[in-house]
Amino acid sequence: MNFLVTGGAGFIGSHVCERLLRDGHRVCALDDLNAFYDPLIKERNLAEVRAAGGTFEFIKGDLTDRAVVDACFATAHFDQVIHLAARAGVRPSLEEPALYQRVNVEGTVNILEAARLAGVKKITMASSSSVYGVNSKVPFTESDPIFQAISPYAASKLACEALGHVYHHIYGMDVAMLRFFTVYGPRQRPDLAIHKFARLILAGQPIPFYGDGSTRRDYTYVEDIVDGIMACTQKELGYQIFNLGESQTIPLSRLVNLLEQALGRKAVL
């Protein structure tokens, strides 16, 4: 099949492109290589994707530019779209809320509309566990109410989920919304905790440690996330939301301890 992967130069996207190529599919990746973190990291990701072999094309472009998106869809007939591109991160979204709405919501509308016009019937989209907001019920389930978002990033992902349902309901598109839970692994973004902490520990620099270390997160290995994405591409789902998480939470203090063991150095908190 012929896949379009938005955000294909990023952490999760590059792994998805690599898996698709190894499974014998043709892949086009759309990414703007923005400066949220060093674009050279994404260039290295792309080099690793190309090394997987197969038919791969990269298009540098901005989701918010409808002409760019339309031109991308004009390059080939895509059988499916895997939409991973977004401005990510809760904390940065507090500083630039309008940017997050523009890229994540308007950009998603552009992808959905271009897919509709091109006759693409199946799209798999990244959402986030952050949509659960102040939900006190654990573990989270897909049927939980999600109307208490607490960041612009979470609000933008809620809007994307609603848009996915609209395009399923009106146009019959097959849409899977995947709520990711703290993904880690090779090529992880440098702003995320495991990458950031490891880098600082190796440099002998202090790491930011909030509270007493008892806060817990559900860390999910990137290859497990890719498995979930691939599963969604292989069957018709109508409109479905899936949590993609490891399913057991790890305290911050335990995470730091594991990094200390792996690196053979003591963290400065």
Side-chain angles (χ1 to χ4, degrees), residues 42-52:
K42 292 186 177 182
E43 295 281 8
R44 288 198 295 270
N45 292 347
L46 288 171
E48 293 194 49
V49 171
R50 292 187 179 101

Side-chain angles (χ1 to χ4, degrees), residues 203-219:
Q205 297 177 7
I207 64 173
F209 193 80
Y210 296 100
D212 61 1
S214 63
T215 56
R216 307 173 71 97
R217 294 188 74 88
D218 189 351
Y219 296 95

Side-chain angles (χ1 to χ4, degrees), residues 3 12 29 41 53 70 75 91 101 106 134 140-141 229 231 244 268:
F3 282 85
I12 300 172
I41 295 174
D70 287 344
T75 62
R91 196 174 296 273
Q101 300 309 304
E106 182 182 333
V134 293
F140 298 150
T141 61
I229 293 170
L244 285 190
V268 180

Side-chain angles (χ1 to χ4, degrees), residues 139 181-182 184 216-221 244-251 254:
F181 284 72
T182 315
Y184 74 98
R216 307 173 71 97
R217 294 188 74 88
D218 189 351
Y219 296 95
T220 314
Y221 191 62
L244 285 190
E246 202 285 333
S247 79
Q248 61 174 328
T249 57
I250 302 295
R254 175 63 174 156

Side-chain angles (χ1 to χ4, degrees), residues 1-268:
M1 284 197 287
N2 199 7
F3 282 85
L4 171 64
V5 180
T6 71
F11 166 36
I12 300 172
S14 62
H15 283 279
V16 169
C17 290
E18 204 170 348
R19 175 76 67 86
L20 288 168
L21 290 168
R22 288 179 174 160
D23 287 349
H25 300 291
R26 298 181 301 278
V27 179
C28 176
L30 173 66
D31 199 299
D32 67 355
L33 303 181
N34 66 68
F36 180 70
Y37 59 90
D38 188 351
L40 289 176
I41 295 174
K42 292 186 177 182
E43 295 281 8
R44 288 198 295 270
N45 292 347
L46 288 171
E48 293 194 49
V49 171
R50 292 187 179 101
T55 304
F56 177 72
E57 179 182 3
F58 173 68
I59 296 175
K60 183 179 179 181
D62 186 342
L63 288 179
T64 64
D65 187 334
R66 181 60 191 274
V68 167
V69 174
D70 287 344
C72 177
F73 275 82
T75 62
H77 172 72
F78 298 116
D79 298 297
Q80 294 191 38
V81 174
I82 300 175
H83 178 38
L84 306 174
R87 283 286 176 159
V90 169
R91 196 174 296 273
S93 77
L94 298 171
E95 299 169 4
E96 297 186 274
L99 173 65
Y100 275 67
Q101 300 309 304
R102 187 165 66 251
V103 174
N104 296 0
V105 182
E106 182 182 333
T108 295
V109 170
N110 286 343
I111 291 294
L112 285 167
E113 189 65 3
R116 177 184 74 83
L117 293 173
V120 180
K121 286 296 187 180
K122 187 166 183 60
I123 183 165
T124 303
M125 298 170 56
S127 185
S128 168
S129 60
S130 66
V131 301
Y132 288 105
V134 293
N135 187 353
S136 60
K137 174 184 164 293
V138 291
F140 298 150
T141 61
E142 292 87 345
S143 59
D144 288 341
I146 51 165
F147 301 111
Q148 299 185 75
I150 54 173
S151 71
Y153 172 66
S156 74
K157 286 300 186 179
L158 278 173
C160 291
E161 291 189 4
L163 286 165
H165 186 268
V166 167
Y167 274 75
H168 163 70
H169 179 74
I170 298 176
Y171 304 115
M173 292 177 69
D174 193 273
V175 180
M177 301 294 317
L178 305 181
R179 294 173 179 168
F180 298 157
F181 284 72
T182 315
V183 188
Y184 74 98
R187 305 178 200 157
Q188 187 185 45
R189 295 195 335 254
D191 60 297
L192 295 176
I194 292 176
H195 186 139
K196 181 178 180 179
F197 287 3
R199 188 175 69 250
L200 292 173
I201 291 171
L202 284 172
Q205 297 177 7
I207 64 173
F209 193 80
Y210 296 100
D212 61 1
S214 63
T215 56
R216 307 173 71 97
R217 294 188 74 88
D218 189 351
Y219 296 95
T220 314
Y221 191 62
V222 66
E223 288 298 328
D224 295 327
I225 291 291
V226 174
D227 286 344
I229 293 170
M230 293 300 102
C232 288
T233 67
Q234 293 165 12
K235 65 186 299 184
E236 290 188 16
L237 298 164
Y239 176 82
Q240 291 288 331
I241 296 171
F242 297 104
N243 289 335
L244 285 190
E246 202 285 333
S247 79
Q248 61 174 328
T249 57
I250 302 295
L252 177 61
S253 56
R254 175 63 174 156
L255 171 65
V256 172
N257 180 251
L258 287 168
L259 283 168
E260 289 175 329
Q261 292 176 35
L263 299 171
R265 298 199 181 185
K266 194 71 177 172
V268 180

